[in-house]
Amino acid sequence: MSNPWSRWLAANDTHRYQLSRKAGWDAFVNGSPRPDFAVLTLEEMAGLSDAELEDYNAARDVWNTNPPTVRTHQLDAAYRIIEEVMASNHRDSDKLRGSVVIDAEPSLGKTTIATRYAQRFHRTTYRRYGPTTADGHQRLPVAFIPLTAGITLKGLNQKLLEFYQHPAARRGSRTELTSLAIDCVTSCETRLIVIDDLHFIDFAHRNGTEVSNHLKGLANELPVTFIYVGVGLREKQFFDEGMLGEATSYAQTSRRATRCPVVPFRIDNDAGMRAWVMLLTTLERHYKLAAARPGMLTDHARLLHTRTQGRIGSLANILDRACYRAILDGVECINADLLSAVSVDNAALQASIA
Ligand SMILES: Nc1ncnc2c1ncn2[C@@H]1O[C@H](COP(=O)(O)OP(=O)(O)OP(=O)(O)O)[C@@H](O)[C@H]1O
Ligand SMILES: [Mg+2]
């Protein structure tokens, strides 16, 4: 039998769209936030049937694990750099545009920054120019291309074509795929291409050099700004294009790309602690727990920082689990015992016991 929460779940369960396909990207860009629902008191929960309680808890799991994107200072700082580089996006097509490289350690919110920025850019472009290009093609202001291990030049072109859901994505020679990819980007008037997980390219290897040269080629040819996202790209010689010593001065990437670092939260100074507490305050308000209270997270700011080293991805993991346990155990609030007891991801665990 249906109840308010099973109906809510039917319409708002976990989104399973694939950002790497135009349909999935479109669903992400245009999706509206989940509608809110009331938190029940413990007495109200006691009055539910087993099935109702199960559905209410399942709805809360979906809600709790999808907090809003918080405007952290890392996000703001990254947006400022991206906006500056995007200003050159207005250059006429005969002039080269710069690119942004979001280069940082794992779990710091790199992908979130790139996708949220691109989402906003997509919406603005649509509002201004409409959904169709002057030539009657579907307008796709953004392409989002996540890479996989050992990506080759052909693989990169295939991924681009897959985003546009081009039927030839799986066929065609290397050169054909390149020209098809260029056609797609041009006819859909794509202006921003986000390439995620760029660290999968080994810039010191022939395949990697080919891919990186190809990206440079595309940047030359297309009126597009690229946002590259990856872990440890400087160390992986992305900027030096895998060259060593003096040869690095020939690396054009280094001149064309603007590096955008993303740092973990630090609490060893007042401003850092304030920013961390602000993040926790925002998140704290989100969770649907019967005994939730203001201060439920901020009272444990230091403990949370030790357990996560100020990494927003590790924080998201630990809070997901704490909420789940708070519901399962019936505590209905996040407290220090829960935060100490739930598991964290492996990297956060290693760092917190080091
Ligand atoms: N600004 C934010 N507000 C709220 N939650 C965030 C924010 N940024 C990141 N997160 C949370 O942290 C998680 C990890 O973020 P994200 O995937 O963007 O990190 P990443 O640096 O790309 O990680 P990886 O190195 O694994 O690719 C997200 O799934 C989300 O839950
Ligand atoms: Mg990522």
Side-chain angles (χ1 to χ4, degrees), residues 95-139:
K95 304 190 193 84
L96 192 69
R97 281 146 203 79
S99 58
V100 184
V101 185
I102 306 180
D103 179 16
E105 291 170 18
S107 231
L108 292 176
K110 301 181 295 300
T111 302
T112 306
I113 290 169
T115 49
R116 298 315 183 277
Y117 180 86
Q119 178 186 47
R120 207 177 66 171
F121 178 78
H122 182 122
R123 286 186 184 149
T124 311
T125 312
Y126 252 57
R127 179 181 55 71
R128 198 168 292 154
Y129 302 112
T132 323
T133 68
D135 294 337
H137 294 280
Q138 178 184 10
R139 185 185 303 286

Side-chain angles (χ1 to χ4, degrees), residues 68-70 72 75 105-112 197 231 312-313 316:
T69 301
V70 182
T72 58
L75 192 107
E105 291 170 18
S107 231
L108 292 176
K110 301 181 295 300
T111 302
T112 306
D197 291 333
V231 175
I312 199 159

Side-chain angles (χ1 to χ4, degrees), residues 132-157:
T132 323
T133 68
D135 294 337
H137 294 280
Q138 178 184 10
R139 185 185 303 286
L140 291 167
V142 173
F144 179 74
I145 318 290
L147 300 186
T148 42
I151 187 95
T152 57
L153 199 163
K154 187 169 182 182
L156 175 68
N157 282 331

Side-chain angles (χ1 to χ4, degrees), residues 29-235:
V29 168
N30 296 312
S32 37
R34 292 184 168 83
D36 203 348
F37 59 93
V39 187
L40 302 185
T41 62
L42 289 172
E43 296 76 56
E44 286 167 333
M45 282 168 65
L48 298 181
S49 69
D50 285 352
E52 283 170 335
L53 185 61
E54 208 177 276
D55 292 344
Y56 173 58
N57 287 345
R60 288 198 292 166
D61 284 341
V62 173
W63 178 271
N64 289 342
T65 48
N66 290 288
T69 301
V70 182
R71 261 192 70 177
T72 58
H73 65 84
Q74 289 87 340
L75 192 107
D76 271 344
Y79 273 25
R80 268 197 300 278
I81 296 180
I82 302 173
E83 297 281 7
E84 274 175 31
V85 176
M86 287 294 281
S88 328
N89 210 1
H90 301 296
R91 283 183 186 169
D92 290 334
S93 302
D94 56 330
K95 304 190 193 84
L96 192 69
R97 281 146 203 79
S99 58
V100 184
V101 185
I102 306 180
D103 179 16
E105 291 170 18
S107 231
L108 292 176
K110 301 181 295 300
T111 302
T112 306
I113 290 169
T115 49
R116 298 315 183 277
Y117 180 86
Q119 178 186 47
R120 207 177 66 171
F121 178 78
H122 182 122
R123 286 186 184 149
T124 311
T125 312
Y126 252 57
R127 179 181 55 71
R128 198 168 292 154
Y129 302 112
T132 323
T133 68
D135 294 337
H137 294 280
Q138 178 184 10
R139 185 185 303 286
L140 291 167
V142 173
F144 179 74
I145 318 290
L147 300 186
T148 42
I151 187 95
T152 57
L153 199 163
K154 187 169 182 182
L156 175 68
N157 282 331
Q158 281 172 333
K159 286 207 167 289
L160 257 166
L161 290 174
E162 275 167 11
F163 180 85
Y164 292 92
Q165 293 176 332
H166 195 288
R170 292 276 138 211
R171 305 190 301 272
S173 69
R174 236 165 66 158
T175 18
E176 278 163 3
L177 290 179
T178 303
S179 62
L180 285 175
I182 290 175
D183 277 356
C184 285
V185 174
T186 316
S187 54
C188 299
E189 298 193 359
T190 303
R191 293 285 173 264
L192 177 66
I193 299 184
V194 180
I195 309 244
D196 198 6
D197 291 333
L198 197 71
H199 47 263
F200 280 129
I201 300 178
D202 178 357
F203 299 102
H205 186 276
R206 191 173 63 86
N207 270 350
T209 318
E210 263 185 11
V211 173
S212 124
N213 280 336
H214 182 56
L215 287 171
K216 270 201 298 182
L218 288 178
N220 284 340
E221 200 144 345
L222 297 167
V224 164
T225 298
F226 281 83
I227 298 184
Y228 300 112
V229 185
V231 175
L233 296 176
R234 184 158 55 186
E235 295 73 21

